[in-house]
Amino acid sequence: MVKIEGNNDLDTKQFALPVDKEHKSTVFPVFSVAKPHMRAFHLSWVQFFACFVSSFAAPPLLPIIRDNLNLTATDIGNAGIASVSGAVFARVVMGTACDLVGPRLASASLTLLTAPAVYFTCIANYATAFLLARFFTGFSLATFVSTQFWMSSMFSPPVVGQANGISGGWGNLGGGATQLIMPRVYNLIVKIGATNFTAWRIAFFIPALFQTFSAFAVMIFGQDMPDGNYQQLHKSGKKHKDNVTKVLRHGVCNYRGWITALCYGYCFGVELTVDNIIAQYFYDRFNLNLRKAGTIAAIFGLANVFARPGGGMVSDLLGKKFGMRGRLWGWWIIQTIGGLLCVLLGRVSSLRASIAVMIIFSVFVQAACGLTFGVVPFVSRRSLGVISGMTGAGGNVGAVITQLIFFKGSRYPTELGITYMGIMIIACSIPISFIYFPQWGGMFCSPKSEVTEVDYYMKEWDLKEQQEDLHQVSLKFADSSRSERGRKVQSAPSENSTPAHV
């Protein structure tokens, strides 16, 4: 056990892992279950994984479902859009909820509230009912925001990219796992004796139960922050109840959050889109059976086991060596390459070439997601949840827009829609170059030498709040984030510098 001495308002406390001034872990031993840091990590990704399985349980069975419910191409397109559109609003709300009540209560509540929609899919008998079930199930994807918020609350800046990348990536594995799970569950039920149109309905009980159990696990075994749950910290006075209006204002008014939302719309949003279309694409274009199409489609989602985590690790490595500017350059390069590969995927016409390009494309587009959330935790400290929610919602908005334009009905052949989607990825990655932190710089601009991390993060607190000592959490984060100066950190001004006007 590592004994950590408190700092002013923090009592002496013991943790199983080394921690910084905020009691955030400075290491990320991925296979550890140390409480509270690593336990939060494993609970968060498993819950998000369960929600992903539920939200995308339908696509691998669509050839059967469409025959049972007489779905048209437009019905299928609308259902796919519905599955990702619900989480747009839910992700923004989730970010604010995390800021106010903590990630544990916020995420577990949403997971439980959306589980009934998964059960109701079993009794859908017409297109509208199927669409509504997918719409409300999709709300559960907002648990991504609580996952990223939770990791940013538990892990120090030098390792937060890894924590966010792996938790998000392993959760996103649900999109690939469900392509394997649902066809096999369906086939097993058919072998037992159920008819085709009954078997797919029974199969939905598996993701529904998984989602329900994961919510109870988070509620019972999770902890919001290293020092306890929000309710306990509020009562003890160690954490003040923030003003929701100010939290929202500082998040919404930070232009960097809007750029991360746009760019995330064309990495994670693309991932959601592909999860909805890829199994049916291979089934129809290459005349494969349901199981083979699902297996190939699963490869795309299963790349998350290393691709998104790899993006987070690359972000941390670039941050350590080159600072925030390295994180931004790495993000833009990886996401742009992903766009080029997406264009290529739509152009190749053989099965083997399509599979090969899809695999490489999946690695780059998912790594870009990890690189995105290597930057997000630094945009704001006070409004971290709002920024995370805006960015996460941007992913769903991107998926909705892309599916509406390119994959709804029969306006474009699917392969042409994929090509156009790649062009959109390239175009929407350009705004990364506009992100500028005065204390660290941007892709093409150097930092302002007179501005420190304290100056940047103190802008979110007015003079009265600072006099009441409400800003201490931001001061501690400012100290930890000095590593984002890269190699120059040792010679940089002290974190105790007097704040300047920026």
Side-chain angles (χ1 to χ4, degrees):
M1 301 288 282
V2 179
K3 188 175 182 180
I4 305 299
E5 294 297 326
N7 293 280
N8 297 326
D9 60 324
L10 293 176
D11 299 326
T12 299
K13 193 166 184 176
Q14 289 186 338
F15 294 94
L17 302 174
V19 298
D20 62 12
K21 289 184 178 181
E22 294 184 89
H23 290 174
K24 295 180 180 180
S25 175
T26 58
V27 296
F28 187 71
V30 67
F31 297 111
S32 168
V33 290
K35 184 181 178 181
H37 305 90
M38 299 311 299
R39 179 179 292 185
F41 161 72
H42 289 294
L43 287 170
S44 67
W45 81 257
V46 169
Q47 177 185 237
F48 184 40
F49 179 95
C51 292
F52 228 103
V53 169
S54 295
S55 296
F56 293 96
L61 299 181
L62 268 178
I64 305 300
I65 298 173
R66 71 183 176 187
D67 291 342
N68 187 191
L69 304 184
N70 298 314
L71 302 178
T72 65
T74 299
D75 292 332
I76 292 172
N78 287 336
I81 292 167
S83 70
V84 296
S85 61
V88 173
F89 175 73
R91 286 189 171 200
V92 175
V93 173
M94 176 62 79
T96 306
C98 287
D99 279 323
L100 299 177
V101 303
R104 167 182 155 272
L105 181 60
S107 61
S109 298
L110 180 64
T111 304
L112 282 176
L113 286 171
T114 53
V118 190
Y119 291 105
F120 289 153
T121 308
C122 306
I123 60 173
N125 284 316
Y126 48 92
T128 302
F130 178 66
L131 183 148
L132 289 173
R134 292 211 67 192
F135 175 73
F136 287 110
T137 300
F139 274 63
S140 66
L141 293 177
T143 52
F144 166 77
V145 175
S146 57
T147 295
Q148 302 298 279
F149 183 97
W150 209 352
M151 296 304 93
S152 297
S153 300
M154 286 288 183
F155 295 94
S156 190
V159 297
V160 72
Q162 297 178 53
N164 278 336
I166 296 177
S167 61
W170 286 7
N172 284 353
L173 277 174
T178 195
Q179 304 280 359
L180 294 174
I181 294 169
M182 295 304 288
R184 284 161 175 76
V185 170
Y186 164 81
N187 286 334
L188 177 62
I189 296 171
V190 169
K191 287 180 180 179
I192 292 174
T195 65
N196 290 353
F197 292 168
T198 300
W200 76 261
R201 297 173 184 278
I202 298 173
F204 270 83
F205 277 91
I206 300 301
L209 289 169
F210 185 20
Q211 181 173 326
T212 303
F213 291 144
S214 71
F216 282 112
V218 167
M219 186 75 76
I220 296 169
F221 301 110
Q223 182 173 304
D224 288 317
M225 298 183 73
D227 296 297
N229 292 321
Y230 270 40
Q231 186 177 15
Q232 299 167 334
L233 296 175
H234 287 153
K235 287 182 178 180
S236 67
K238 289 184 177 181
K239 180 176 176 59
H240 81 286
K241 290 185 177 181
D242 214 334
N243 184 303
V244 62
T245 303
K246 291 184 177 181
V247 169
L248 282 169
R249 177 165 59 85
H250 287 299
V252 172
C253 292
N254 193 319
Y255 80 93
R256 301 167 191 85
W258 291 101
I259 294 178
T260 59
L262 171 64
C263 296
Y264 197 60
Y266 284 90
C267 53
F268 182 66
V270 167
E271 185 180 345
L272 291 177
T273 299
V274 174
D275 281 335
N276 265 328
I277 68 169
I278 199 67
Q280 189 177 355
Y281 171 67
F282 278 100
Y283 179 89
D284 291 334
R285 189 173 189 194
F286 299 106
N287 298 314
L288 303 179
N289 62 38
L290 194 65
R291 184 167 179 173
K292 286 183 179 179
T295 300
I296 294 170
I299 297 172
F300 180 86
L302 292 176
N304 270 299
V305 74
F306 65 89
R308 184 168 184 145
M313 293 176 189
V314 168
S315 183
D316 285 342
L317 288 173
L318 291 173
K320 184 177 181 180
K321 190 169 185 179
F322 302 108
M324 178 55 68
R325 300 180 74 180
R327 289 184 189 267
L328 294 172
W329 270 105
W331 178 16
W332 176 77
I333 291 170
I334 295 296
Q335 188 155 328
T336 300
I337 293 174
L340 293 170
L341 289 164
C342 187
V343 171
L344 182 60
L345 177 62
R347 302 295 296 172
V348 295
S349 56
S350 72
L351 176 59
R352 289 185 178 181
S354 293
I355 294 172
V357 174
M358 183 199 71
I359 292 172
I360 302 171
F361 164 55
S362 70
V363 171
F364 278 86
V365 76
Q366 291 162 13
C369 296
L371 283 149
T372 304
F373 273 85
V375 173
V376 165
F378 300 97
V379 172
S380 170
R381 180 61 186 88
R382 185 176 188 180
S383 303
L384 171 62
V386 175
I387 297 296
S388 297
M390 288 169 58
T391 304
N396 287 74
V397 170
V400 170
I401 292 174
T402 302
Q403 291 180 71
L404 275 173
I405 297 174
F406 303 128
F407 302 107
K408 181 183 177 183
S410 56
R411 181 179 180 184
Y412 298 107
T414 303
E415 58 271 23
L416 185 58
I418 291 172
T419 297
Y420 288 156
M421 181 168 66
I423 295 172
M424 289 285 283
I425 296 171
I426 296 168
C428 291
S429 300
I430 295 174
I432 295 173
S433 63
F434 301 145
I435 296 178
Y436 178 76
F437 292 91
Q439 73 277 30
W440 300 318
M443 282 176 62
F444 299 105
C445 302
S446 300
K448 296 179 180 179
S449 58
E450 73 277 9
V451 178
T452 68
E453 290 76 12
V454 171
D455 301 326
Y456 180 80
Y457 291 109
M458 285 305 99
K459 288 194 304 179
E460 298 180 327
W461 303 90
D462 60 35
L463 182 60
K464 181 180 178 182
E465 289 170 329
Q466 293 183 38
Q467 290 173 342
E468 293 175 357
D469 228 21
L470 303 181
H471 65 300
Q472 287 300 316
V473 65
S474 291
L475 280 178
K476 295 185 178 96
F477 184 77
D479 178 45
S480 300
S481 66
R482 292 178 71 239
S483 59
E484 291 308 302
R485 301 177 189 181
R487 291 170 175 170
K488 297 180 180 179
V489 68
Q490 297 300 327
S491 59
S494 167
E495 70 272 15
N496 294 320
S497 303
T498 302
H501 296 289
V502 295

